[in-house]
Amino acid sequence: MRRRRAGGRERVWAARMRRRAAIRLQLLRLWLGARAAGQQGMATAEYAIATLAAVAFAGLLVVIMRSDEVRGFLLAIIRQALALP
């Protein structure tokens, strides 16, 4: 009995399966590489906490800069710097 060669459909199907297997293997390699590298960068919750800390610090600076003592101190520095000798 003679063996039949794969027809056009079978060859196309086999090529698709090989491509899919190659893509899956590449994705698995990338995933394993990322797992082996450990955590790089901050997670979303860490970004949120860092953002809240930055906003709190900015708010504190605004409160400090609006006080009359700091405003007078800064004006004195600017006047002294602009004064002609």
Side-chain angles (χ1 to χ4, degrees):
M1 209 189 268
R2 287 175 47 176
R3 253 179 123 185
R4 232 176 108 189
R5 272 184 81 181
R9 286 185 186 170
E10 290 83 8
R11 276 188 270 151
V12 170
W13 181 83
R16 283 184 186 160
M17 291 299 114
R18 281 193 301 273
R19 277 195 305 262
R20 287 181 183 173
I23 291 170
R24 287 182 181 141
L25 183 61
Q26 185 176 9
L27 288 174
L28 180 63
R29 285 181 185 152
L30 289 172
W31 182 78
L32 288 174
R35 297 280 296 177
Q39 288 186 345
Q40 296 178 357
M42 292 193 296
T44 305
E46 291 168 329
Y47 278 118
I49 291 170
T51 303
L52 286 175
V55 168
F57 185 67
L60 180 64
L61 285 177
V62 167
V63 169
I64 291 172
M65 295 302 286
R66 286 191 177 192
S67 70
D68 289 334
E69 293 174 2
V70 174
R71 188 175 293 170
F73 179 69
L74 291 175
L75 281 173
I77 291 174
I78 293 171
R79 284 185 183 141
Q80 185 180 5
L82 295 178
L84 294 174

